[in-house]
Amino acid sequence: MPALRPFALGFVALALVGAIGWFTQAGDAADTPETGIAVVAAAPAAPHRAPPSPAPSPTASPRDAALAEIRATYPLLRDPVLSCDAMRCALTGLILPPTDQAYLDKRQEMLLGGLAAILAAHGYRTEGPVKLDEIDSNTFRLRAEIPRVTPPAAPAA
């Protein structure tokens, strides 16, 4: 214990000197202007939000209803298109660079089953994982393959 006593006294003395220095600097700071360079981080820009899509009408086709729900649920997917040819369909769209953690979380939700769930709810079954092609720095073209099947008929009015 006796060996710790000088260490504790030294610590107390150091803390006292630091406190005195801090109080004397705080009084001087009001009298003299600050000099030097201050770095201020800009607030992150809000992600682009597409205007809310109107709710699909009861007579909307499954394709239009699926696109309307995708636009409403995932506004980060820009210009979604659900196109079909004789053999298959594909959902394509553009994903811009992330702006914040919420954007990254929503993008992960979309890519890990969110899009597939929306498409399945409208009668489309995705085939394999969603493909992403980087077309610019952290900007991706999304493509989800969908085998050609006849989606359920639109409900009668």
Side-chain angles (χ1 to χ4, degrees), residues 130-151:
V130 173
K131 294 176 181 72
L132 295 174
D133 295 322
E134 189 167 19
I135 57 173
D136 199 7
S137 177
N138 216 4
T139 302
F140 297 92
R141 172 68 56 192
L142 173 139
R143 182 174 180 84
E145 297 289 330
I146 304 166
R148 181 74 171 176
V149 295
T150 305

Side-chain angles (χ1 to χ4, degrees), residues 19-101:
I20 290 170
W22 183 68
F23 282 119
T24 58
Q25 282 184 342
D28 293 342
D31 300 336
T32 59
E34 292 279 334
T35 59
I37 298 173
V39 178
V40 179
H48 173 75
R49 300 276 188 228
S53 300
S57 67
T59 59
S61 72
R63 178 188 160 277
D64 293 339
L67 282 173
E69 187 174 347
I70 288 169
R71 285 187 187 105
T73 306
Y74 300 114
L76 58 107
L77 182 61
R78 292 284 213 73
D79 307 322
V81 175
L82 183 57
S83 57
C84 298
D85 62 17
M87 297 300 291
R88 60 188 337 103
C89 297
L91 172 69
T92 59
L94 187 66
I95 302 175
L96 298 178
T99 55
D100 58 8
Q101 187 61 42

